[in-house]
């Protein structure tokens, strides 16, 4: 959590809670409750942003099975140059807007803490200057100081001009005695310290004033009785002193005179007071959920989405935020935005989203420093390659932002560019394949150069890393359109998602598709249809079952030896998928479960079925088959993987098959959302495989 994010959460939390107080609790007569509420608002606002409570969540992959082809590679003389160039001087690095804001913030804290210390020293000085006598457990000082009488912790500072034994004197004494007994000074010191550190937060300043008013309301109630409340109000008006008061004491002639008199003279009970107080609980719960809870994947429950060739092992990718520290990289035309900051923002977005894509991200830097804590640019480049070697990474991706000459910017240079290594090798060929995947992914989001780039002068991190490597220039920082796009946090997250989608699709492509990538020809995997296998009873780990299935089907054909026409048909289906099949598969994925009875029996099966869809998107005519029917073309595959407890019983193959079919019926009794999808066929055929994992899956 960054410091600015923390301060923003503090302000949000205090604003919501104080807003509820202002609307429903302020100027009500339940002062003890209001005191507690304001204290809780202060503490929760400061502490709650530090609390992070994980909520188990199983993200569903949005990857689609796609086919890619290698793009043209173009050699250029421009682009990223990783050479040792002089960075800004020490004075220039210090004189930044960010540092100026931090300095202004610290000055505010120092001033307010100084005023607090001065008030404490004043109380200490007058406590030594005037004599006191002990009354019970408190000290009673007789003074002639302006602003008295007032109380501070276990001390009451009295004004000798006020007769102690008079009716007015006794009421004022009871007032100050209540402050002492209720430890109101503790509230004030705490709010003064918190307000000093959060002086920019207007809600804390309002809270401090309201808490002092509540103290006075409580003390006034204690000091008077029903018979003399109007006389007490008259005392407040006639003897209000005009002297300056210090802010950390509880003095009798406090401000809020109008509100205090209203509270004293108003003897009516407010209706619905209990309702107003109880409604604060949902407000606290709302703030708590908004600030403290965050989604985290379950350690024991995982939804898997299987597709041909998809790897279950996490992909380790080194994500390198270009430049950093003394090396700012390129800058916007006005000099306010630096490449190193934009690159780091995008990389952090990739790191935050990576777990949902089963990608293990290793960052070369996470703050404004060169990798490895170095202070020399060349050492930072070496540290990047050392980090990659140590992590045994599968891929290396460097994130940069390009630029043109700031003195003579070229407005025609725009869009995202992808660079690959220069030397010809197997690693470079794999980098070409990865680059082709990412270019096609990114081009759906923003203008992207359709050719891969190479530089005659080697780019260090691309040539020295031991794995397939890319450098992505996420637009031109000297182009206003590109700068506006890549500076937006939402767009940065969208770019991060596209990069992660490309990584997963590249790493988990089928072997046949890998061969197609080098030739530029699309390939679709065609396999013979499997016969349904009977239920088996095998050992399974005691892990809670979580269903999983494909979101997008893979076209299949029935013959074991596919002909050329079948392959062409499969290619056409893969290139133009039926949206109804995709939505039915997604509906199946979201609603299916592995029946508990079958889990306990370790039963597995394959269920062939078909379903009809009319023009209104309604299901009908659900049919089951013992094997794939001859007319099933295409046959869409669905896979449900479960992790279950140790076996406790055994079912026959027929019983298992019937229970699995009942589960399919249950799923299709729920209406799916097939809106905006025109059926391309009357009947759709599916093969659903129910598989029990024998090993507990590892989560990311």
């Amino acid at each position: 959590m960054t410091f600015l994010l923390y301060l923003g959460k503090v302000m949000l939390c205090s604003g919501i809670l104080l807003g509820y107080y202002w609307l429903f609790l302020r100027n009500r007569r339940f002062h003890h409750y209001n005191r507690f509420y304001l204290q809780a608002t202060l503490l929760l606002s400061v502490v709650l942003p530090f609390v992070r409570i994980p909520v188990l969540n199983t993200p569903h992959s949005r990857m689609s099975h796609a086919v890619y082809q290698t793009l043209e590679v173009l050699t250029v003389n421009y682009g990223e140059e990783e050479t040792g160039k002089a960075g800004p001087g020490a004075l220039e690095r210090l004189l930044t807007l960010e540092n100026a804001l931090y300095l202004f913030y610290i000055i505010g804290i120092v001033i307010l803490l100084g005023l607090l210390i001065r008030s404490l020293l004043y109380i200490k000085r007058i406590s030594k200057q005037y004599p006191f006598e002990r009354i019970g457990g408190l000290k009673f000082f007789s003074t002639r100081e302006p602003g008295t009488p007032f109380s501070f912790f276990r001390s009451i500072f009295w004004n000798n001009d006020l007769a102690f034994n008079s009716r007015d004197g006794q009421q004022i004494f009871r007032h100050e005695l209540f402050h002492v007994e209720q430890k109101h000074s503790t509230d004030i010191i705490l709010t003064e310290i918190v307000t000093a550190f959060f002086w920019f937060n207007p809600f804390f300043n309002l809270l401090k004033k309201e808490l002092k008013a509540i103290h006075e309301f409580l003390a006034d109630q204690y000091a008077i009785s029903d018979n003399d409340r109007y006389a007490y109000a008259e005392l407040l008006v006639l003897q209000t002193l005009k002297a300056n008061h210090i802010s950390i004491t509880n003095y009798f002639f406090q401000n809020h005179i109008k509100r205090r008199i209203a509270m004293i003279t108003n003897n009516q009970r407010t209706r619905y007071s209990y309702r107003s107080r109880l409604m604060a609980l949902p407000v606290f719960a709302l703030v708590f959920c908004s600030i403290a809870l965050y989604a985290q994947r379950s350690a024991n429950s995982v939804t898997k989405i299987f597709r041909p060739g998809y790897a279950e092992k996490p992909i380790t990718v080194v994500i390198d935020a270009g430049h950093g520290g003394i090396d700012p990289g390129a800058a916007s035309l006005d000099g306010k935005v630096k490449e190193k900051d934009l690159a780091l923002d995008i990389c952090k977005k990739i790191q935050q989203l990576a777990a949902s894509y089963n990608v293990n991200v290793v960052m070369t830097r996470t703050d404004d420093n060169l990798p490895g804590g170095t202070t020399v640019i060349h050492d930072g480049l070496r540290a990047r390659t050392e980090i990659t070697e140590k992590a045994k990474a599968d891929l290396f991706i460097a994130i940069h932002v390009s630029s043109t000459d700031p003195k003579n910017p070229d407005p025609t240079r725009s869009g995202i560019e992808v660079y690959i290594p220069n030397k010809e090798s197997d690693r470079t060929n794999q980098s070409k394949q990865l680059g082709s995947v990412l270019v096609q992914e990114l081009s759906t989001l923003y203008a992207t150069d359709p050719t891969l780039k190479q530089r005659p002068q080697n780019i260090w991190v691309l040539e020295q890393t031991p794995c397939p490597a890319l450098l992505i220039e996420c637009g031109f920082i000297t182009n206003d359109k590109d700068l506006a796009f890549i500076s937006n946090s939402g767009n940065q997250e969208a770019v991060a998602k596209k990069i992660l989608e490309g990584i997963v699709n590249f790493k988990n492509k089928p072997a046949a598709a890998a061969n197609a990538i080098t030739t530029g020809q699309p390939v679709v995997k065609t396999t013979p249809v499997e016969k349904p296998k009977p239920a088996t009873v095998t050992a399974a780990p005691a892990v809670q079952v979580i269903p999983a299935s494909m979101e997008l089907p893979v076209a299949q054909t029935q013959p074991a030896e596919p002909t050329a026409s079948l392959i062409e048909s499969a290619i056409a289906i893969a290139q133009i998928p039926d949206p109804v099949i995709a939505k039915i598969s997604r509906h199946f994925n979201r609603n299916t479960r592995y029946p508990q009875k079958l889990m306990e029996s370790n039963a597995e099966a394959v269920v062939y079925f078909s379903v009809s869809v009319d023009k209104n998107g309604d299901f009908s005519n659900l049919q089951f088959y013992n094997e794939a029917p001859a007319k099933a073309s295409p046959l869409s595959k669905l896979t449900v993987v479960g992790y279950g407890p140790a076996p406790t019983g055994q079912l026959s193959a027929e019983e298992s098959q019937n229970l699995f079919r009942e589960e399919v019926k249950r799923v299709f009794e729920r209406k799916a959302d097939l809106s905006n999808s025109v059926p391309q066929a009357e009947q759709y055929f599916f093969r659903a495989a129910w598989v029990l994992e024998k090993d507990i899956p590892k989560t990311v």
Side-chain angles (χ1 to χ4, degrees), residues 496-516:
K497 289 179 179 179
K498 288 298 181 182
I499 291 174
L500 287 166
E501 290 174 6
I503 290 172
V504 174
N505 279 324
F506 163 77
K507 186 63 179 179
N508 296 298
K509 62 186 179 296
N515 296 330

Side-chain angles (χ1 to χ4, degrees), residues 253-329:
F253 301 111
Q254 179 67 268
N255 287 330
H256 317 290
I257 294 297
K258 182 178 180 181
R259 292 177 63 193
R260 289 173 67 183
I261 293 174
M263 289 295 174
I264 293 169
T265 57
N266 183 9
N267 198 28
Q268 296 180 352
R269 295 289 179 180
T270 305
R271 298 182 62 188
Y272 311 119
S273 61
Y274 285 104
R275 183 182 300 177
S276 299
R277 282 177 276 182
L278 288 176
M279 285 302 295
L281 297 178
V283 176
F284 278 115
L286 173 64
V287 173
F288 178 82
C289 294
S290 301
I291 302 297
L293 301 183
Y294 72 101
Q296 175 175 290
R297 296 184 68 180
S298 169
N300 297 320
S301 301
V302 176
T303 297
K304 287 189 175 182
I305 299 178
F306 288 92
R307 297 183 186 86
Y310 261 54
E312 300 175 39
K313 181 182 177 182
I315 311 164
T316 299
V317 183
V318 171
I319 299 296
D320 172 37
H323 307 283
I326 62 172
D327 180 14

Side-chain angles (χ1 to χ4, degrees), residues 377-418:
I377 294 177
H378 283 304
D379 292 342
L381 296 177
R382 295 190 190 95
R384 287 173 161 94
T385 57
E386 291 171 359
I387 291 171
T388 307
E389 292 172 355
K390 185 177 180 180
K392 298 181 180 180
D394 298 307
L395 303 172
F396 176 94
I397 296 179
I399 303 297
H400 288 256
V401 183
S402 191
S403 68
T404 57
D405 185 359
K407 296 181 180 179
N408 187 24
D410 184 357
T412 63
R413 298 290 302 281
S414 174
I416 301 173
E417 297 179 336
V418 177

Side-chain angles (χ1 to χ4, degrees), residues 83-228:
T83 58
K85 56 183 179 181
L91 182 61
E92 185 180 354
R93 293 198 302 272
L94 288 175
L95 297 179
T96 63
L97 177 61
E98 182 180 3
N99 290 340
L101 291 175
Y102 279 120
L103 180 62
F104 183 60
Y105 171 70
I106 293 172
I107 290 174
I109 294 176
V110 171
I111 291 175
L112 292 176
L113 289 179
L115 294 175
L116 176 61
I117 293 173
R118 188 183 70 172
S119 299
L120 292 172
L121 292 176
Y122 168 75
I123 295 175
K124 183 178 181 181
R125 178 178 62 81
I126 64 174
S127 65
K128 292 183 177 180
Q129 181 179 351
Y130 295 98
F132 69 89
E133 58 179 312
R134 291 192 177 275
I135 302 177
L138 59 84
K139 294 181 179 179
F140 187 87
F141 291 86
S142 298
T143 75
R144 295 189 178 276
E145 288 293 321
T148 53
F150 65 79
S151 61
F152 185 70
F153 286 100
R154 301 295 299 175
S155 299
I156 294 179
F157 296 84
W158 195 258
N159 194 307
N160 290 334
D161 293 336
L162 184 62
F164 179 78
N165 292 322
S166 65
R167 186 189 67 173
D168 293 345
Q170 286 299 302
Q171 286 182 324
I172 294 173
F173 178 75
R174 283 171 55 82
H175 179 103
E176 299 301 332
L177 182 62
F178 185 83
H179 285 311
V180 173
E181 291 177 345
Q182 295 297 310
K183 299 180 176 59
H184 288 170
S185 295
T186 303
D187 292 356
I188 293 177
I189 291 296
L190 177 63
T191 55
E192 289 289 346
I193 293 174
V194 173
T195 305
F197 281 95
F198 297 91
W199 56 266
F200 60 88
N201 187 350
F203 303 116
F204 278 170
N205 289 285
L206 290 174
L207 186 148
K208 180 174 67 174
K209 294 179 181 179
E210 283 299 311
L211 189 57
K212 289 182 178 180
I214 295 298
H215 289 169
E216 298 308 311
F217 299 157
L218 288 168
D220 289 341
Q221 279 185 343
Y222 180 78
I224 63 175
S225 64
D226 291 338
N227 296 327
D228 59 1

